[in-house]
Amino acid sequence: MHWTINPSPRAAGSVTVPGDKSITHRAVMLGALAIGESIIENYLPSEDCMRTVQAFESMGVRIDTTGRFLRIWGNGMNALTVPAGGIDAGNSGTTVRLLSGILASRPFSSRICGDKSLSLRPMKRIIEPLRLMGARITAIEDNYLPLDISGTGMLKPVAYVSPVASAQVKSCVLFAGLAAAGITSVEEPVKSRDHTERLLAACGADISVDGNRVAVRGPARLNPLTLTVPADISSAAFFMVLGLVAKTGWIELRDVGINPTRDGILEVLNNMGARIRLNSRRNLSGEPVAMIAVEPSILKATEISAAIMPRLIDEVPIVVLAATQAQGVTVISGASELRVKESDRIKTIAAELGAMGAHIEERPDGLVIHGPVKLHGATVRSHGDHRIAMTLAIAGCIAEGTTVINDVGCVDTSFPGFLETLQGLL
Ligand code: S3P
């Protein structure tokens, strides 16, 4: 499947992007582990999140996805049954890494596989801490899918110091800790997104946070959740940048999650001189949200380094596009994690925006972008990566001539309806 994008000098309108992907995954998982009925409003019905739903359905959990609300009837962790035929996580890293923490303590064997891209992504980062807790896991080269997890029934608590700032690793260990008798803790070099901590607290788990260290006491009995998921800031980011680089117009994004562990994009765009305002701030089911308003802006280059990366990582491709329109040289460093995302995003964004005329140098741990440049239409491809596809679509809106983006089916992993929302703003 491909998209054809023609330039549009104007971008205007008010939109609500779909619900947060990270929160939806966690809400499904915790709802399945809780005892009782969980009701999740504004969940993200994307392919990635449906992989998590299907995994729990295959373990005997009743889940209704037919209405506006996602309903989950959990019977507790001990009620999960052997997933018939194994679990296919598709393209979803969050499904594999978080689910492994749950499966590690189940008294049955299970296998998780995934698509070609997911099968190239490192799993050692979760295998190591889970083994320290007594889990039995095998993987190709001890690192790649499929993962075979043979249940132990009981795990040991651990005080894990993670070498990477990763919410997936942190959440995996905390989920495993729910079934270990005693206190399991995870400490990370920089604080990663904290949705798991917020939701565990909402479920009544005994959880404590001290700086970059989070601890949970097991065994835990979880209460069901009733929550409304904020709009995903990672999806909103594409339209923030569209509103800034358009020639005329304005864009408003409603009820966007602005959790301080996710808001690096706001800081970076502010540093670049963006005309961006946050209004109507409120709390939505334990997460801060706001209406984000952007207007066309004269952007200037900025420097982005390791400290902000956990708060920014998924937004780097669209920041690179903004930097191609900014005055000066933008330097992004400390971002080597980008190489192990749905594609090697350092390489793919440099190559594809490069094909549209951008001046981008690749570095082992980042990118150097020379701006501003006038982009031109080209035939480009997503490399199977949703965030690369959406970045290229926004690039197409400001390029001269027609842009054809190949292999865009992957966008449904995080943002079904992206193209229609984009067209509604042009
Ligand atoms: C996610 C964490 C991040 C992020 C990913 C979603 C999550 O990955 O890039 O898109 O929901 O926990 P890492 O934990 O690998 O940094």
Side-chain angles (χ1 to χ4, degrees):
M1 199 167 85
H2 72 274
W3 290 337
T4 302
I5 310 278
N6 285 307
S8 167
R10 181 174 163 83
S14 183
V15 291
T16 309
V17 300
D20 190 276
K21 180 150 82 77
S22 293
I23 297 175
T24 300
H25 279 296
R26 288 157 170 79
V28 171
M29 293 183 185
L30 290 171
L33 300 183
I35 297 183
E37 182 186 354
S38 290
I39 302 178
I40 319 297
E41 190 178 1
N42 198 41
Y43 71 99
L44 174 66
S46 74
E47 279 175 13
D48 273 15
C49 296
M50 288 306 124
R51 294 289 181 174
T52 293
V53 166
Q54 285 152 12
F56 282 96
E57 284 178 332
S58 77
M59 292 189 280
V61 181
R62 195 175 137 220
I63 303 177
D64 179 5
T65 55
T66 55
R68 202 162 74 81
F69 298 95
L70 178 70
R71 302 171 99 92
I72 308 157
W73 288 270
N75 283 310
M77 193 181 297
N78 293 332
L80 296 179
T81 55
V82 187
I87 290 168
D88 184 351
N91 190 246
S92 176
T94 308
T95 304
V96 182
R97 295 198 178 116
L98 272 59
L99 198 53
S100 300
I102 294 167
L103 291 173
S105 69
R106 295 307 80 217
F108 51 73
S109 297
S110 46
R111 165 173 278 214
I112 314 181
C113 65
D115 72 6
K116 212 169 111 197
S117 145
L118 192 57
S119 303
L120 294 170
R121 298 181 64 188
M123 297 298 152
K124 202 175 212 137
R125 53 182 64 194
I126 54 144
I127 295 174
E128 275 175 351
L130 290 176
R131 278 194 187 138
L132 290 174
M133 299 179 79
R136 289 198 304 260
I137 307 183
T138 57
I140 296 192
E141 292 171 29
D142 225 20
N143 198 15
Y144 301 106
L145 296 185
L147 294 185
D148 279 300
I149 306 175
S150 21
T152 53
M154 201 60 201
L155 295 176
K156 303 189 283 283
V158 71
Y160 187 62
V161 179
S162 175
V164 277
S166 159
Q168 294 180 350
V169 172
K170 173 173 65 180
S171 305
C172 170
V173 176
L174 293 174
F175 282 178
L178 294 174
I183 292 180
T184 293
S185 67
V186 189
E187 191 174 336
E188 42 185 359
V190 182
K191 194 178 176 70
S192 64
R193 63 191 67 190
D194 67 357
H195 308 300
T196 296
E197 295 91 307
R198 289 172 190 248
L199 289 173
L200 277 171
C203 289
D206 182 354
I207 175 151
S208 61
V209 180
D210 179 11
N212 297 349
R213 182 177 171 277
V214 185
V216 71
R217 183 188 291 277
R221 188 186 189 282
L222 303 179
N223 302 322
L225 291 164
T226 300
L227 63 93
T228 304
V229 179
D232 196 325
I233 191 169
S234 299
S235 298
F238 298 104
F239 300 122
M240 290 182 213
V241 171
L242 174 65
L244 297 174
V245 297
K247 283 210 168 61
T248 62
W250 53 274
I251 293 180
E252 266 178 17
L253 297 148
R254 289 186 293 258
D255 276 339
V256 179
I258 52 162
N259 180 310
T261 60
R262 293 282 298 280
D263 66 354
I265 181 74
L266 299 174
E267 185 178 322
V268 167
L269 294 178
N270 266 317
N271 290 344
M272 294 177 82
R275 292 163 71 196
I276 184 163
R277 275 175 299 118
L278 267 56
N279 300 321
S280 318
R281 288 175 190 255
R282 64 186 176 111
N283 179 297
L284 187 64
S285 304
E287 293 275 351
V289 298
M291 202 265 280
I292 299 178
V294 295
E295 287 173 58
S297 304
I298 295 170
L299 298 177
K300 58 177 194 290
T302 188
E303 250 184 61
I304 302 170
S305 53
I308 197 174
M309 227 24 96
R311 290 163 56 217
L312 180 73
I313 191 78
D314 293 339
E315 290 66 74
V316 174
I318 194 66
V319 166
V320 173
L321 174 63
T324 68
Q325 303 308 300
Q327 189 74 47
V329 180
T330 293
V331 180
I332 303 177
S333 61
S336 50
E337 272 292 303
L338 287 174
R339 295 208 180 268
V340 290
K341 293 293 179 188
E342 287 82 332
S343 69
D344 173 345
R345 286 182 177 158
I346 293 181
K347 202 188 213 134
T348 53
I349 201 64
E352 301 305 319
L353 287 179
M356 297 178 74
H359 297 165
I360 303 177
E361 294 163 47
E362 221 188 284
R363 294 274 163 87
D365 70 335
L367 300 128
V368 177
I369 305 116
H370 301 260
V373 290
K374 181 77 202 145
L375 297 177
H376 56 74
T379 297
V380 290
R381 65 191 177 101
S382 72
H383 300 258
D385 186 330
H386 54 133
R387 299 201 199 281
I388 300 297
M390 290 186 274
T391 300
L392 294 170
I394 304 299
C397 297
I398 56 163
E400 215 163 63
T402 299
T403 300
V404 175
I405 308 161
N406 285 315
D407 191 11
V408 292
C410 51
V411 168
D412 287 348
T413 61
S414 72
F415 197 157
F418 169 81
L419 187 65
E420 293 71 24
T421 305
L422 174 61
Q423 284 165 338
L425 290 167
L426 301 179

